[in-house]
């Protein structure tokens, strides 16, 4: 991770957020107390900034300065507004292709998905503000710079984004093994958003209840699941095949 993309110290992070800096994630030392820490937490929550509690050893690895119990990563990109992105795509008479990432937490998987998405003509990637892998130097590196070429939207809740997509006439398809339908039975020629779940738990059950369709990849081996970035690639290239 590049040090230039980090802010060290509680007060510095608060000031950066108040100044409108695009903070991607804040790492906070576990069990840290005090008025300043309470002010930081209040600021993070008011501005919807993604944060997590970590052991002090992780903070020491992230930065070699006096971090005072908090380190923020600055996003190398500006995030897009989902409503504006949907509107612009529909006005351009496109059949949008979105990916919704429901809790992808591994930076390398995230970067690999972005790279494949850019290669397959995805119009936008939607991620939740909380619980998602950060957009940092590792993401940029793994995506081979594709992160700069594809709109990424941060939303408060994945379910709200799905309702928003559906209201705009965009079909939502969840990639999940909890279905009898396979990927080759789905019509991807229309406007569509593919929902990919987290590495360990898959798509959230509450999300599965509201999507339009569910689809799985046929599996013939003894291992029951693929890496999420590989599975995402398989879905995206089926979209490409149908749309060619």
């Amino acid at each position: 991770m590049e040090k230039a993309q980090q802010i060290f110290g509680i007060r510095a992070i608060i000031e950066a957020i108040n100044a409108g800096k695009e903070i991607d994630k804040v790492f906070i030392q576990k069990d840290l107390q005090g008025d300043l820490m309470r002010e930081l937490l209040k600021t993070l929550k008011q501005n919807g900034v993604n944060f997590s509690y970590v052991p002090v050893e992780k903070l020491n690895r992230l930065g070699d300065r006096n971090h005072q119990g908090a380190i923020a990563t600055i996003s190398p990109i500006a995030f897009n507004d989902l409503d504006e992105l949907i509107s612009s795509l529909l006005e351009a008479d496109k059949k949008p292709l979105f990916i919704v990432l429901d809790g992808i937490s591994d930076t390398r998987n995230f970067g690999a998905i972005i790279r494949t998405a850019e290669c397959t003509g995805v119009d936008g990637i939607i991620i939740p503000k909380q619980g998602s892998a950060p957009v940092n130097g590792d993401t940029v590196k793994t995506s081979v710079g594709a992160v700069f070429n594809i709109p990424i939207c941060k939303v408060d809740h994945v379910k709200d984004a799905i309702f928003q997509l559906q209201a705009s006439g965009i079909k939502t398809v969840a990639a999940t093994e909890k279905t009898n339908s396979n990927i080759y039975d789905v019509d991807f020629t229309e406007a569509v958003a593919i929902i990919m779940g987290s590495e360990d738990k898959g798509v959230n059950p509450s999300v599965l209840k509201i999507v339009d369709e569910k689809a799985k990849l046929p599996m013939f081996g003894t291992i029951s699941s693929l890496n999420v970035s590989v599975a995402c690639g398989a879905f995206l290239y089926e979209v490409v095949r149908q749309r060619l």
Side-chain angles (χ1 to χ4, degrees), residues 97 188 192 194 234-244:
L97 171 58
F188 288 114
V192 67
I194 298 167
F235 268 81
L236 289 175
Y237 269 98
E238 175 58 16
V239 177
V240 170
R241 187 191 70 80
Q242 289 191 22
R243 290 186 175 192
L244 278 176

Side-chain angles (χ1 to χ4, degrees), residues 17-18 41-50 129 156:
I17 293 168
N18 290 335
L41 290 172
K42 183 181 176 183
T43 305
L44 293 172
K45 289 170 184 174
Q46 284 176 342
N47 291 274
V49 177
N50 189 10
K129 287 180 180 176
D156 290 325

Side-chain angles (χ1 to χ4, degrees), residues 82 155-167 207 210:
L82 179 58
V155 296
D156 290 325
H157 304 289
V158 166
K159 289 206 306 188
D160 290 342
I162 288 170
F163 287 135
Q164 196 173 347
L165 291 162
Q166 291 169 332
V207 171
I210 62 170

Side-chain angles (χ1 to χ4, degrees), residues 10-18 28 32-47 51 53:
I10 298 171
R11 174 56 65 193
I13 294 170
I14 292 170
E15 289 176 1
I17 293 168
N18 290 335
I28 300 170
L32 208 60
Q33 305 292 326
D35 292 341
L36 203 55
M37 178 53 70
R38 281 190 285 275
E39 186 183 343
L40 173 61
L41 290 172
K42 183 181 176 183
T43 305
L44 293 172
K45 289 170 184 174
Q46 284 176 342
N47 291 274
F51 68 92
Y53 293 100

Side-chain angles (χ1 to χ4, degrees), residues 51-238:
F51 68 92
S52 63
Y53 293 100
V54 297
V56 67
E57 291 80 11
K58 174 155 186 178
L59 293 177
N60 293 338
R61 285 197 304 272
L62 284 172
D64 53 8
R65 300 176 223 181
N66 178 16
H67 50 68
Q68 300 173 325
I71 297 176
T73 57
I74 304 172
S75 173
I77 62 163
F79 293 97
N80 291 67
D81 180 82
L82 179 58
D83 205 29
E84 289 177 7
L85 181 58
I86 292 172
S87 297
S88 66
L89 291 167
L90 295 177
E91 283 169 16
D93 209 25
K94 284 200 72 171
K95 289 183 178 175
L97 171 58
F98 283 95
I99 297 175
V100 182
L101 301 181
D102 183 19
I104 302 295
S105 57
D106 184 275
T107 309
R108 285 162 297 188
N109 280 337
F110 187 26
I113 288 169
I114 294 169
R115 182 179 183 178
T116 307
E118 203 270 345
C119 290
T120 51
V122 169
D123 296 296
I125 296 174
I126 300 165
I127 60 173
K129 287 180 180 176
Q130 298 290 338
S132 182
V135 180
N136 58 22
D138 289 337
T139 317
V140 173
K141 185 177 178 182
T142 314
S143 76
V144 199
V147 69
F148 300 117
N149 301 329
I150 189 165
I152 297 178
C153 306
K154 269 190 174 184
V155 296
D156 290 325
H157 304 289
V158 166
K159 289 206 306 188
D160 290 342
I162 288 170
F163 287 135
Q164 196 173 347
L165 291 162
Q166 291 169 332
S168 302
I170 298 167
K171 180 169 73 175
T172 55
V173 180
T176 175
E177 295 157 19
K178 298 170 184 173
T179 180
N180 292 321
S181 303
N182 80 49
I183 182 177
Y184 307 115
D185 299 325
V186 178
D187 181 6
F188 288 114
T189 59
E190 54 193 304
V192 67
I194 298 167
I195 298 95
M196 303 300 303
S198 67
E199 293 88 349
D200 53 346
K201 297 178 182 174
V203 178
N204 192 295
S206 64
V207 171
L208 289 177
K209 288 178 183 175
I210 62 170
V211 295
D212 298 305
E213 293 186 42
K214 291 173 274 196
K216 65 181 177 182
L217 288 163
M219 303 291 289
F220 301 105
T222 52
I223 297 172
S224 61
S225 66
L226 289 168
N227 170 279
V228 66
S229 66
V230 174
C232 188
F235 268 81
L236 289 175
Y237 269 98
E238 175 58 16

